[in-house]
Amino acid sequence: DAAPQPSAAAASPAPGAGVTAAQAVRFLDTDRNAKVDRMEYLTFQAGRFGQVDTDASGGLSTTEFRNAQPGRRGQQNAERTFGLFHRGAGPMTQQEWVNFHSWVFANIIDGDRDGFMSEDEWTRLMDR
């Protein structure tokens, strides 16, 4: 599977700390149906790859990956998580980054398993 292509929204600053759940959902909801589905989330994350790759090497080091993780828990587990989603030597590829975020969406974000990220699910993610 090829990585989703970045959207215009992906070039904007990422929703995160200081952004309300409603703002985050509105930002990520590119088809304006008031829901964020997996592809909208993955398209955003594919676009973030270049921002996270701070040394512009075309791949992510463990440090870059760790620095991109929200919250204390994500940063504490970053090295182990990096190893689970990165195969081989060298930096993490964009496809591996997207694969990681696909897993995050399915297993962490979409708590009610309805296929969408709600405002409540966004709030829980930011509180982790």
Side-chain angles (χ1 to χ4, degrees):
D1 287 339
Q5 295 303 304
S7 67
S12 302
V19 174
T20 69
Q23 290 169 325
V25 168
R26 196 169 37 254
F27 176 85
L28 295 170
D29 177 23
T30 58
D31 65 5
R32 303 296 178 231
N33 67 352
K35 301 176 182 180
V36 177
D37 66 29
R38 181 178 159 273
M39 285 310 299
E40 288 170 320
Y41 178 75
L42 294 180
T43 299
F44 168 73
Q45 292 298 344
R48 263 188 80 216
F49 185 81
Q51 297 167 348
V52 174
D53 179 18
T54 56
D55 66 2
S57 67
L60 302 182
S61 67
T62 54
T63 300
E64 289 168 323
F65 182 82
R66 180 180 51 250
N67 291 343
Q69 302 312 304
R72 187 182 73 232
R73 185 185 220 180
Q75 290 188 358
Q76 287 174 339
N77 294 324
E79 190 169 327
R80 182 176 61 84
T81 304
F82 182 90
L84 292 172
F85 289 91
H86 173 56
R87 302 289 182 235
M92 177 180 271
T93 67
Q94 184 179 34
Q95 185 62 57
E96 290 168 332
W97 168 257
V98 171
N99 291 346
F100 162 68
H101 281 288
S102 182
W103 182 89
V104 167
F105 189 89
N107 295 283
I108 297 174
I109 294 174
D110 186 18
D112 62 8
R113 306 288 190 254
D114 68 352
F116 299 97
M117 180 185 78
S118 68
E119 291 180 19
D120 287 341
E121 288 165 331
W122 171 263
T123 300
R124 280 193 300 278
L125 179 66
M126 291 297 106
D127 288 345
R128 285 180 64 100

